[in-house]
Amino acid sequence: MTEKLYDKDSHLKEFEGTVLSCEKIGEKYAVTLNKTAFFPEGGGQQSDRGYIGDTYVSDVQIKNGVILHFADKPLNIGQAYKCKIDFDFRFRNMQNHSGEHIISGIVHKLYGFNNVGFHLGTEMTVDFDGELTRRQLDEVEDLANKAVYENLPVKAYYPTGEELKSLDYRSKLDLKENVRIVEIKGVDVCACCAPHVKATGEIGVIKILDFEKYKGGVRLLVRCGRDALSDYREKYRNILEISNLLSAKQPDASAAVVKLNNQLSAEKEETAALKKRLIAEMAAGFAPKTDKTAVFEDGLDIKELQLLADALCSNAGGIRGAFSGKDGAFSFAICGEETALNTFFIEFKAALTVRGGGRNGIRQGTVSDTREKIESFFDR
Ligand SMILES: [Zn+2]
């Protein structure tokens, strides 16, 4: 049985551990130690990583009560090694996990909802079995951060069976004893196997970034501590750049984006009207010498190509194709009397690299050949 050093001291970074067993599993070596500060994945928290001697440990799992350290190289059974966990990584996990307990405790107290899902990977999500509004979540966030400012002690302990009976705590298990309780004074009492910060001040900041309806309840996206700081840093840089680009003060940035969007929509409408005029003028001045023509015009979408082909065909009859794009990537619409068009289009598809189809006197799609090749096909 491995002594769980992380259970007693969540801030232990280095220790000396003796290898009890070492077994090759896949590419890794599953190592057990007489004692360990490596937390195995559990309770929603990622496993620790670090070194046993100079051998990297990338993952730690607990299976049937046995803690397996997955090492890159084999280790000598019976030898004592200096071990070191990646404490930056652990501390980041603890900041988030302890923050999650505070939020869950407050939500439970205020609204009676239970935490029914918790995931802490590269980001942290917390699920509750009831819906919450942004306003309610703002209140939860305020109270959570108040608990941080008060720097409350976080205590982890194993109560006796008797003590457990009279204890009101979240995340109740079927176990009657050997239940590890994590208590944040006045805020939360919860059964949890993971290491936590020693006092709430270590969390730094608790930020509920976003939320969505999830399985009849709500899923929160939360960042705590250094994760919240990095997030703030990144977002601040972003908003600074956006407001500079828009020449707007930061609080006015979203209003400036709305204004820009409206301008863009107006300009799009104007462009569409201009294109319509262009199409009408092209059709009016269209005097083809043959009964099949391909017309090329930049910047037309498929609807505009349909309009142009249709206008050319209405004006001059025959088979009229409208193309837009560049060599190797043209969009097109071709109009004509259905029987003649059908025969023409079958040959067109056979001669060139065409994707597309249609009916009732119109065909559209894309062709990945050169303009020269398309023109010479129409000029046959
Ligand atoms: Zn927990």
Side-chain angles (χ1 to χ4, degrees):
M1 200 67 174
T2 307
E3 188 188 345
K4 297 172 181 173
L5 300 172
Y6 59 84
D7 234 13
K8 291 171 206 112
D9 182 2
S10 63
H11 286 55
L12 186 68
K13 304 168 184 72
E14 292 178 15
F15 63 99
E16 196 176 87
T18 303
V19 173
L20 302 180
S21 68
C22 179
E23 187 195 342
K24 192 167 196 286
I25 298 181
E27 295 290 295
K28 300 278 181 183
Y29 296 86
V31 175
T32 61
L33 299 171
N34 66 332
K35 53 188 170 179
T36 188
F38 283 89
F39 173 66
E41 184 182 348
Q45 185 168 317
Q46 302 174 86
S47 90
D48 278 326
R49 57 197 191 195
Y51 288 89
I52 297 175
D54 57 4
T55 301
Y56 187 62
V57 173
S58 56
D59 188 22
V60 186
Q61 296 289 328
I62 184 161
K63 287 197 176 107
N64 304 320
V66 180
I67 298 172
L68 301 171
H69 305 73
F70 290 92
D72 284 355
K73 288 185 295 188
L75 294 163
N76 300 327
I77 294 167
Q79 187 174 328
Y81 289 89
K82 276 216 154 58
C83 305
K84 193 176 174 182
I85 67 164
D86 178 346
F87 193 71
D88 281 351
F89 181 69
R90 153 74 79 77
F91 191 65
R92 176 254 171 196
N93 287 337
M94 293 200 299
Q95 282 183 316
N96 278 294
H97 195 159
S98 299
E100 177 268 319
H101 275 225
I102 292 177
I103 287 176
S104 299
I106 292 169
V107 166
H108 187 72
K109 205 172 279 177
L110 291 187
Y111 303 104
F113 299 148
N114 297 302
N115 174 330
V116 286
F118 165 52
H119 176 75
L120 173 52
T122 48
E123 53 181 37
M124 176 164 77
T125 57
V126 190
D127 304 337
F128 292 100
D129 57 1
E131 285 184 30
L132 292 163
T133 64
R134 181 76 251 185
R135 205 182 53 76
Q136 289 170 323
L137 288 170
D138 282 349
E139 189 192 0
V140 170
E141 190 178 88
D142 282 338
L143 289 170
N145 283 285
K146 188 168 169 275
V148 172
Y149 311 148
E150 287 169 351
N151 199 23
L152 306 166
V154 180
K155 201 171 96 181
Y157 62 101
Y158 290 87
T160 64
E162 275 307 300
E163 285 168 334
L164 198 64
K165 257 189 233 166
S166 58
L167 200 63
D168 183 22
Y169 65 101
R170 294 189 304 109
S171 194
K172 275 216 165 77
L173 305 166
D174 290 335
L175 295 175
K176 298 275 179 281
E177 51 191 31
N178 245 338
V179 175
R180 186 171 183 268
I181 293 291
V182 174
E183 183 179 346
I184 303 172
K185 217 166 172 49
V187 178
D188 187 47
V189 184
C190 182
C192 183
C193 59
H196 281 263
V197 297
K198 285 180 179 169
T200 56
E202 291 177 32
I203 300 168
V205 64
I206 298 173
K207 180 74 194 119
I208 301 171
L209 294 182
D210 208 353
F211 71 107
E212 59 179 1
K213 284 187 182 174
Y214 186 74
K215 290 184 176 171
V218 70
R219 166 166 283 184
L220 312 186
L221 180 64
V222 183
R223 297 241 193 294
C224 298
R226 211 170 40 208
D227 282 3
L229 176 65
S230 325
D231 188 61
Y232 185 30
R233 196 174 281 159
E234 185 194 311
K235 282 180 181 151
Y236 190 84
R237 267 191 209 130
N238 243 304
I239 188 76
L240 190 67
E241 214 163 293
I242 291 168
S243 58
N244 285 345
L245 284 168
L246 297 170
S247 303
K249 285 182 182 156
Q250 284 183 23
D252 304 331
S254 69
V257 171
V258 170
K259 198 174 143 196
L260 193 68
N261 251 332
N262 291 341
Q263 278 172 1
L264 195 66
S265 304
E267 270 166 30
K268 266 188 188 160
E269 267 175 42
E270 207 175 304
T271 309
L274 283 171
K275 279 185 186 169
K276 246 187 182 165
R277 248 172 65 191
L278 171 78
I279 288 164
E281 274 169 23
M282 282 176 84
F286 187 56
K289 294 188 184 69
T290 58
D291 63 347
K292 296 183 193 71
T293 36
V295 169
F296 291 80
E297 184 62 40
D298 282 343
L300 299 188
D301 64 22
I302 192 68
K303 269 202 175 138
E304 291 154 353
L305 289 170
Q306 286 169 354
L307 275 179
L308 179 57
D310 186 50
L312 296 175
C313 197
S314 305
N315 182 310
I319 289 175
R320 311 298 169 190
F323 293 79
S324 191
K326 55 178 190 199
D327 277 357
F330 284 106
S331 295
F332 71 84
I334 307 172
C335 285
E337 184 276 320
E338 177 55 31
T339 316
L341 177 64
N342 193 41
T343 311
F344 175 84
F345 195 63
I346 289 168
E347 291 167 2
F348 183 60
K349 278 174 84 166
L352 294 132
T353 318
V354 178
R355 291 172 69 105
R359 59 198 174 103
N360 296 336
I362 187 156
R363 301 289 185 275
Q364 61 269 310
T366 56
V367 51
S368 31
D369 286 289
T370 60
R371 174 172 177 163
E372 199 187 339
K373 205 169 169 195
I374 296 165
E375 279 176 334
S376 74
F377 180 81
F378 273 76
D379 292 343
R380 291 175 304 165

